[in-house]
Structure formats: C-alpha cells, structure tokens
Amino acid sequence: MLGASYLAKAAPDGYTIASMGDAQTITAFLLREPPYKLSDLRIIAQWGYHISIMVVAPDAPWKTMKEFIQYAKANPGVKYGDQGKGSSVWIQVQFLAKEAGIQLDEVPFKGDMEVLTAVLGKHVPIGIMGYVTARPQQEAGKLRMLMTFVPGGIDSEPNVASLE
C-alpha cells in the first residue's frame, strides 16, 4: 500500500516503477478514503496472472452467482475457504462481498489443496482457489465453478460468471 501510494504520487517520468500484485490495486477500492486512484497508476507490463475461481460442491444449492448472492443476503456469514487474510484471493472476496452487499466468513487454509480438500469434504460450502486446481475437479464432476474473479470471464469457461 505504501509503495503504491508513493508510485501514484511520483512524476510520470519513466524512472519510478514498481512490481505489484493485484492486492495493491484492489486495496484502493476497499478503503473508505484510498490514498490513490487506480487511474494514478499505469500498467506497463504483466509478469503473470493467477485466475481465481469460486467453487462449490456439485450438489450445492446455488447453481448461479445470483442465487448465491440472494442466499448470502438472507443468511449472513456463509463460510468460505481461501489462502488467508491479506492474500490476493482474500482481497478479491472482500471486494465481492462489498459490491454484493453480503457478509462472508473466511476459513483460512495454507493453499489451494487444503481449500480443495475442505470443499470436497464439505467442511466449507465455498472455496476460492486457482483455476488450474479447480478445472480437473470440475471435469471429474467433483466441483462446480460458480464464478471467476477475472473481469470478462475465462474464454475456456463461457458458463462461469465473472466479477463485473
């Protein structure tokens, strides 16, 4: 956050650059009075991209994000598994909850495989994990992808809702 704030205020002379994850860009949306606007930053290169997916068990009562959001509004505190507070996935869920007007309760795990195990074992009804972890499980019929946090969605998954 400090680095992104410094970068946003720096002269656009090409000498001040930073390597940041999505946490720095999403955090500005979560704060009541962010110290910078996303328009103050300019992306010049992308090193990599992690596609995050919200997954549920195949027999979950929500078939669509709209159904899930309606349920979560009526039942605050739905538990979800992720990689822990402060992770980019956690920040994405905070943004989703804020935008949708819902309250979700985090159950932190040490990584995608623990989240996957918790969803498959029905310890949490929702998991947030990487697409590369979720896809084989969906193909095997063990998980259903409910949503991706990728704006515009995933080309290979046209039926999966996106955060827009």
Side-chain angles (χ1 to χ4, degrees), residues 120-140:
L120 292 175
K122 301 201 178 189
H123 303 288
V124 293
I126 295 177
I128 313 298
M129 64 185 64
Y131 176 68
V132 296
T133 302
R135 186 173 184 195
Q137 300 302 320
Q138 177 174 276
E139 289 173 352

Side-chain angles (χ1 to χ4, degrees), residues 4-158:
S5 296
Y6 177 80
L7 182 66
K9 293 174 183 149
D13 57 11
Y15 291 101
T16 307
I17 63 172
S19 177
M20 300 186 301
D22 54 356
Q24 288 80 14
T25 55
I26 296 171
T27 301
F29 286 112
L30 296 175
L31 299 174
R32 293 178 198 247
E33 295 180 32
Y36 60 92
K37 299 182 300 251
L38 289 180
S39 60
D40 294 334
L41 304 172
R42 189 170 128 223
I43 298 171
I44 59 171
Q46 182 173 334
W47 302 106
Y49 197 74
H50 177 78
I51 300 173
S52 300
I53 299 287
M54 177 184 281
V55 300
V56 297
D59 60 350
W62 322 289
K63 304 299 182 212
T64 66
M65 271 308 288
K66 183 178 179 182
E67 290 174 1
F68 170 70
I69 290 171
Q70 288 172 344
Y71 177 87
K73 284 183 178 184
N75 301 278
V78 176
K79 291 184 186 321
Y80 73 95
D82 73 355
Q83 291 75 24
K85 281 191 177 31
S87 66
S88 61
V89 172
W90 178 83
I91 291 171
Q92 291 170 333
V93 173
Q94 299 310 301
F95 181 71
L96 166 67
K98 182 178 178 181
E99 290 296 305
I102 58 177
Q103 177 196 335
L104 301 173
D105 290 347
E106 179 204 31
V107 178
F109 293 97
K110 293 181 182 173
D112 279 1
M113 296 316 293
E114 285 190 10
V115 175
L116 173 62
T117 301
V119 174
L120 292 175
K122 301 201 178 189
H123 303 288
V124 293
I126 295 177
I128 313 298
M129 64 185 64
Y131 176 68
V132 296
T133 302
R135 186 173 184 195
Q137 300 302 320
Q138 177 174 276
E139 289 173 352
K142 295 181 180 183
L143 288 181
R144 187 164 24 91
M145 293 182 204
L146 201 57
M147 187 198 91
T148 178
F149 291 87
V150 176
I154 304 171
D155 291 341
S156 60
E157 302 292 344

